[in-house]
Amino acid sequence: MSAVFCSCAVTGGMSVPGQSAAIPVTPDEIVDSAVAANAAGAAIVHIHVREPSTGKPIADLRLFEEVLAGIGERCDAIVQPTSGGGVGMTVEERARVVTECRPEMATFNCGSFNFGIFKARHRPEMAPWEIEYLESTRDYIFKNTFADMSRLSELFREAGTKPEYEVYDVGHVYNLAHLAEEGLVDFPAHIQFVLGVLGANAASIDQLVHMRQTAERVLGADRFTWSAAGVGYPGQFHLAAAALMQGGHMRVGLEDNLRVTGDRRAGSNAELVEKAIALAALLDREPADAGAARGLLGLAGA
Ligand code: KMH
Ligand code: ZN
């Protein structure tokens, strides 16, 4: 059985708390949820922070420090903060968690694109700012220009942080190849194929295969590890299963999807991780703990 690691995207920056009461908001809630996800089998916990009083995604360094330290005290998960952030944040704000906290890993977004979350249902429990946040994405571009990516590459290197390259569409693979040509990528790299965002590629098996094969062709098959993250339901589990079948790793979590089954909303991140880990066992893949995942990723703490 080949080893597979599971990431859990715990809270997110492109969702609002009124979408589900299960989304953790305060630092304590985010820490508890991440620790429980790790206990359920997630080797990596992907972290955003939110303003505690409202749940609005923000890039506050003190909150990141509190959450990263809180998780580190209670489990040995690979704690992977975002450098993607959320609506309205500048790239400088987004990068500060990397430069100041120097995490062993962080996300690195591989291109600019429309990122629409305005189709999320308006629920009675949403505050006015949440509806505005969702609606504002009709006119929102997730900005990751070549200048941003070059600068971020340098900052990641200076911090000693391994990037997880977030690739949402096939053109982003070519952006990553360009960064490699410029000498800005350290190999082996780690790619997260994030499929299902409105504005980028679809969460379908054929697109995952196409993007993986393209990455193998332009970067070299033995030069990267990869994982798949499907946004929405059933995309999250369809892509986890497809990744398991193709030798990749998987990401689940409330950042990307709020349902465990078609008729049941998730009560926690741990529930989503449990389902992904069960799929791994059914498909003869051995779940890796954080230590084993560090080895697979070539992280220093392995
Ligand atoms: N929210 C996502 C679809 C990041 O945080 O850098 C992708 C993501 C990016 O997780
Ligand atoms: Zn994220």
Side-chain angles (χ1 to χ4, degrees):
M1 292 216 291
S2 71
V4 57
F5 57 79
C6 178
S7 304
C8 180
V10 174
T11 181
M14 292 299 290
S15 59
V16 292
Q19 286 177 259
S20 165
I23 295 174
V25 167
T26 65
D28 284 348
E29 288 169 359
I30 294 170
V31 170
D32 286 347
S33 196
V35 171
N38 173 251
I44 301 177
V45 288
H46 168 64
I47 299 296
H48 293 246
V49 290
R50 296 176 180 272
E51 190 173 61
S53 57
T54 62
K56 187 172 185 187
I58 52 174
D60 185 277
L61 195 55
R62 297 285 92 75
L63 291 176
F64 269 120
E65 284 168 350
E66 188 178 342
V67 169
L68 269 47
I71 297 169
E73 278 163 20
R74 289 176 50 194
C75 69
D76 81 333
I78 298 167
V79 186
Q80 179 203 70
T82 180
S83 75
V87 175
M89 299 176 201
T90 65
V91 177
E92 291 69 31
E93 286 169 335
R94 287 162 35 190
R96 280 187 70 208
V97 64
V98 174
T99 53
E100 301 296 318
C101 299
R102 298 175 175 263
E104 57 185 325
M105 200 176 199
T107 56
F108 181 113
N109 292 274
C110 290
S112 302
F113 59 102
N114 293 334
F115 200 134
I117 54 169
F118 52 85
K119 281 165 84 175
R121 193 156 68 83
H122 295 181
R123 305 173 70 88
E125 47 276 68
M126 286 178 182
W129 77 262
E130 299 184 67
I131 310 281
E132 261 172 52
Y133 194 86
L134 298 174
E135 284 299 315
S136 73
T137 64
R138 290 182 190 277
D139 195 28
Y140 173 64
I141 295 170
F142 185 30
K143 177 180 169 295
N144 298 285
T145 63
F146 287 111
D148 295 333
M149 291 188 284
S150 298
R151 182 75 190 120
L152 274 181
S153 301
E154 288 163 2
L155 294 176
F156 271 67
R157 266 195 183 149
E158 280 163 28
T161 297
K162 178 166 176 132
E164 174 184 277
Y165 292 106
E166 312 293 295
V167 163
Y168 302 79
D169 215 333
V170 71
H172 298 170
V173 173
Y174 292 94
N175 293 351
L176 183 54
H178 162 75
L179 295 178
E181 275 165 29
E182 298 285 299
L184 293 170
V185 176
D186 295 318
F187 289 100
H190 181 61
I191 299 178
Q192 185 75 260
F193 295 110
V194 185
L195 299 186
V197 172
L198 180 65
N201 211 342
S204 67
I205 295 172
D206 59 327
Q207 292 309 317
L208 177 65
V209 170
H210 174 51
M211 288 170 62
R212 174 183 62 75
Q213 288 179 336
T214 304
E216 287 174 358
R217 185 164 46 76
V218 303
L219 297 169
D222 54 351
R223 297 184 89 202
F224 65 94
T225 50
W226 66 274
S227 169
V231 176
Y233 186 90
Q236 178 155 98
F237 294 107
H238 284 184
L239 282 211
L244 287 165
M245 290 166 66
Q246 295 171 54
H249 304 279
M250 54 188 177
R251 161 167 142 172
V252 295
L254 292 165
E255 171 164 348
D256 302 332
N257 161 54
L258 302 171
R259 291 193 173 276
V260 186
T261 63
D263 57 6
R264 191 158 63 85
R265 283 159 68 78
S268 67
N269 277 298
E271 254 185 295
L272 299 170
V273 173
E274 277 160 17
K275 179 165 170 171
I277 295 291
L279 279 175
L282 289 171
L283 293 169
D284 296 327
R285 299 283 305 275
E286 174 78 47
D289 63 12
R294 283 188 178 90
L296 292 165
L297 288 160
L299 292 173

